[in-house]
Amino acid sequence: MTSSGVGMACLLLVLCMVVPSLATVYTVGDTSGWTTGVDYSAWTNGKTFKVGDSLIFNYPTSHTVDEVSSSDYSTCTVSNAIATDNSGATTVALKTTGTHYFICGVMGHCGNGMKLAVKVESGSSTSPSTTTPSTTTTNPDSSSSWSLSPFIAFVTTWVALCVMVIIS
């Protein structure tokens, strides 16, 4: 009886490790990164973004990543940005459904196409949607989200499986 309880606990551990690994991490613009001269509308084609996925923006610090509203996206306005970063490596956790809008706040860059709209669908998240997106910013008061590397989840899953086999 004890061995079946331990087996069930190991199975639960395995399931807890597998679920976070289902999230996808997208590098915006792939090898080009976040820069001028990239068609980000074409980059999003064929991709399905889900709650729990992340966007990684890689760029020189001469650019910014500003999350903005739909109207500010259309007019390339950064004065009301929801979140902004200029660190050169920005990770945005997609925590809510809906369309998320990103632009470069450097004068003329957004107008020349350095803007990204990402439609996020419900995914493996079981928590209810909120209206506040989470973005990594340079603000020390901002909250950061914890994310598990798919490789670590894979290794942990295999270790848990091996433990389960040894105990049984």
Side-chain angles (χ1 to χ4, degrees):
M1 190 71 163
T2 303
S3 122
S4 69
V6 171
M8 290 302 285
C10 287
L11 182 60
L12 182 60
L13 177 64
V14 168
L15 290 175
C16 289
M17 291 295 122
V18 170
V19 171
S21 70
L22 298 176
T24 303
V25 176
Y26 294 95
T27 300
V28 174
D30 297 321
T31 57
S32 297
W34 182 239
T35 189
T36 55
V38 176
D39 184 351
Y40 293 104
S41 294
W43 177 80
T44 60
N45 284 341
K47 292 177 176 64
T48 303
F49 301 96
K50 299 212 177 254
V51 170
D53 291 348
S54 295
L55 300 175
I56 296 178
F57 293 81
N58 294 315
Y59 54 98
T61 55
S62 58
H63 294 299
T64 66
V65 175
D66 294 276
E67 186 168 6
V68 295
S69 68
S70 173
S71 60
D72 287 346
Y73 176 84
S74 297
T75 60
C76 291
T77 302
V78 294
S79 59
N80 300 314
I82 297 165
T84 187
D85 191 29
N86 64 353
S87 66
T90 305
T91 299
V92 178
L94 300 174
K95 293 186 172 185
T96 60
T97 59
T99 305
H100 297 260
Y101 300 94
F102 304 93
I103 64 174
C104 179
V106 175
M107 181 69 78
H109 290 194
C110 175
N112 287 325
M114 199 168 168
K115 57 200 281 186
L116 171 69
V118 175
K119 183 178 179 188
V120 180
E121 301 174 358
S122 61
S124 60
S125 174
T126 56
S127 60
S129 264
T130 62
T131 57
T132 306
S134 170
T135 304
T136 303
T137 66
T138 56
N139 180 356
D141 295 338
S142 69
S143 62
S144 60
S145 65
W146 180 80
S147 105
L148 181 64
S149 156
F151 175 74
I152 298 297
F154 178 77
V155 170
T156 306
T157 300
W158 276 106
V159 168
L161 283 172
C162 290
V163 168
M164 191 169 74
V165 167
I166 290 170
I167 292 176
S168 321

